[in-house]
Amino acid sequence: AGRALLAGKAPVRLRMLNFQSAVPSWEEFWTQWDLVRVRKDLDRAAALGTNALRIFVFTKPFGGASLDAEMVSRATALIDEAARRGM
């Protein structure tokens, strides 16, 4: 509403992180996928009060214009896991 972010009628204050798992580099995060590690890292982010994430999707690993189904599945899993933690 206007310049305020609302959840229903309640204002929301974003506590956002740029997210990638702790071990691989930004781009390798997707190619060296480890859902167990991702879950642990999301638990840590939730413990800090994070309620929003920004994730980076790289063109090459995701297949460019012809999306790689496995990479889309990984991104979906990350989004689902984050949602389970209120992000």
Side-chain angles (χ1 to χ4, degrees), residues 13-19 49-55 87:
R13 181 170 179 210
L14 287 181
R15 293 178 184 91
M16 183 169 58
L17 292 176
N18 292 337
F19 182 80
T50 302
N51 63 5
L53 299 176
R54 179 167 58 174
I55 61 172
M87 298 175 207

Side-chain angles (χ1 to χ4, degrees), residues 2-46:
R3 296 186 58 109
L5 179 62
L6 302 175
K9 293 183 179 183
V12 175
R13 181 170 179 210
L14 287 181
R15 293 178 184 91
M16 183 169 58
L17 292 176
N18 292 337
F19 182 80
Q20 98 167 52
S21 197
V23 178
S25 70
W26 285 99
E27 209 166 324
E28 291 170 340
F29 169 66
W30 296 108
T31 59
Q32 296 179 18
W33 181 251
D34 182 349
L35 186 56
V36 171
R37 184 179 60 230
V38 167
R39 286 176 176 147
K40 288 178 184 177
D41 292 339
L42 287 170
D43 287 342
R44 289 183 193 125

